[in-house]
Amino acid sequence: MVKIDLNNLPQHIAIIMDGNGRWAKQHTIGRIRGHKKGAQAVKTTVRACREIGVKYLTLFAFSIENWKRPEEEVQALMSLLEEYLTKETKQLKKQGIKLTTIGELDRLNPAVKEQLLQAKADTSKNVEMILNLALSYGGRDEIIHAVKKIVRDNKKNKVDINEINNDMFKRYLYTCGMPDPDLLIRTSGEYRISNFLLWQIAYTELYFTNVLWPDFTKDHLFKAIASYQKRERRFGLTSEQLKRQNHSKSLLNIKNKRH
Ligand code: FPP
């Protein structure tokens, strides 16, 4: 198993789970069975993140564009989601995981939506980890949704144009209240963002792997985290500025501990 530093974990990991179809093709089985195996990798990854202490995990489970897939495949993905919720909500509760969602839930079939709302309510008091499912989600749509809401609030005199800034805009996104992802993983060897969390990943570390999502294991997750831990996140500063900043922070920590 790859070694990772548990004191320097990404607080928020986002994953583009790609390659279910190609995995199925490799195994000469239908695409839907690839998604089924992908759902197992979801379970493993959620558990591994909870075990090591990752606080937020956002999974791209169904994009706005995915509605254009063949009807049979869309139905199968919805059934897998239902099955996951039926079987896993109890586990999520037990492990202290709160389920949240981002995306246009109103486009989901009413029964699936109802089940999701129930699972969200059942786990709403949990604080150990947030499992955030992106469903019927598109990054550009999310930004447009936020802009429309701001314009509406401006008309109601709730928001002044001069108040619009990064922090304020962030609160109008689906991810309101969540920190931006520290690490974004994409499986299957594709080097694209595919309309995922466009606003939120401005300073996120990106990690691409050739592993197909159904083959993704705890070890692969650890490899991604280890790669993240080797990087210097400068947020636009110079390396020297960053070192000085970290030095001041650690001095402050020592001082606070003494008092
Ligand atoms: C991409 O593979 C994956 C998806 C479109 C959906 C992700 C869904 C799951 C992992 C299973 C169910 C999820 C939950 C939360 C229970 P692809 O079909 O685009 O693969 P390909 O690019 O190889 O064709």
Side-chain angles (χ1 to χ4, degrees):
M1 184 72 74
V2 179
K3 280 229 161 75
I4 54 167
D5 176 2
L6 294 179
N7 294 313
N8 180 27
L9 287 173
Q11 187 188 13
H12 185 173
I13 299 181
I15 308 184
I16 302 176
M17 310 180 288
D18 196 12
N20 295 350
R22 274 161 287 164
W23 184 90
K25 206 169 191 176
Q26 268 182 11
H27 292 77
T28 53
I29 54 175
R31 294 181 57 82
I32 290 165
R33 283 180 64 194
H35 292 311
K36 245 189 184 154
K37 190 75 175 34
Q40 280 174 27
V42 168
K43 284 187 207 166
T44 316
T45 305
V46 171
R47 255 169 234 181
C49 285
R50 168 68 184 86
E51 242 172 67
I52 58 174
V54 169
K55 284 292 169 199
Y56 297 84
L57 174 65
T58 298
L59 299 178
F60 206 178
F62 194 86
S63 73
I64 283 258
E65 290 76 22
N66 286 155
W67 288 115
K68 294 183 208 135
R69 290 200 173 189
E71 174 69 15
E72 191 197 5
E73 186 168 337
V74 171
Q75 281 314 317
L77 282 165
M78 291 299 141
S79 304
L80 274 175
L81 176 63
E82 279 186 276
E83 197 181 315
Y84 177 81
L85 295 172
T86 309
K87 290 191 180 153
E88 285 298 296
T89 305
K90 225 170 155 184
Q91 271 302 318
L92 296 181
K93 259 165 115 175
K94 218 164 126 186
Q95 295 173 58
I97 302 174
K98 175 174 168 176
L99 180 75
T100 60
T101 54
I102 51 173
E104 293 182 8
L105 286 202
D106 285 342
R107 285 188 70 177
L108 300 179
N109 144 337
V112 183
K113 187 181 161 191
E114 184 50 43
Q115 203 182 1
L116 259 175
L117 294 181
Q118 192 58 52
K120 280 164 74 167
D122 287 351
T123 59
S124 64
K125 301 249 157 39
N126 291 347
V127 293
E128 295 303 326
M129 179 178 134
I130 307 274
L131 168 60
N132 183 35
L133 294 182
L135 291 163
S136 191
Y137 174 86
R140 287 180 171 175
D141 298 78
E142 179 184 30
I143 292 170
I144 289 172
H145 181 262
V147 170
K148 283 184 176 166
K149 241 167 118 183
I150 293 173
V151 172
R152 260 186 253 124
D153 281 355
N154 173 258
K155 280 190 182 152
K156 288 185 209 154
N157 291 323
K158 284 192 196 165
V159 165
D160 186 86
I161 288 183
N162 295 317
E163 284 172 339
I164 303 176
N165 57 30
N166 285 336
D167 284 337
M168 178 269 194
F169 193 80
K170 214 173 148 171
R171 290 197 293 274
Y172 277 83
L173 295 171
Y174 295 138
T175 48
C176 169
M178 270 183 216
D180 289 341
D182 301 294
L183 171 64
L184 169 74
I185 300 171
R186 182 175 189 142
T187 58
S188 92
E190 306 285 355
Y191 300 91
R192 282 192 294 276
I193 296 303
S194 299
N195 205 11
F196 191 39
L197 301 174
L198 294 181
W199 174 276
Q200 297 87 341
I201 59 166
Y203 287 100
T204 300
E205 295 298 326
L206 308 180
Y207 179 85
F208 299 97
T209 169
N210 287 332
V211 174
L212 301 176
W213 177 251
D215 287 328
F216 194 80
T217 61
K218 188 172 168 178
D219 206 31
H220 295 123
L221 174 73
F222 277 30
K223 262 189 201 149
I225 295 176
S227 161
Y228 162 86
Q229 291 179 334
K230 282 194 203 110
R231 304 189 192 179
E232 183 184 57
R233 301 187 76 194
R234 289 198 295 274
F235 300 97
L237 301 181
T238 67
S239 215
E240 288 65 33
Q241 282 177 305
L242 204 70
K243 274 179 202 135
R244 274 202 296 275
Q245 206 180 61
N246 288 339
H247 183 64
S248 316
K249 265 190 207 155
S250 47
L251 286 180
L252 199 69
N253 274 343
I254 296 170
K255 215 172 140 192
N256 286 342
K257 269 186 198 152
R258 282 199 192 130
H259 284 288

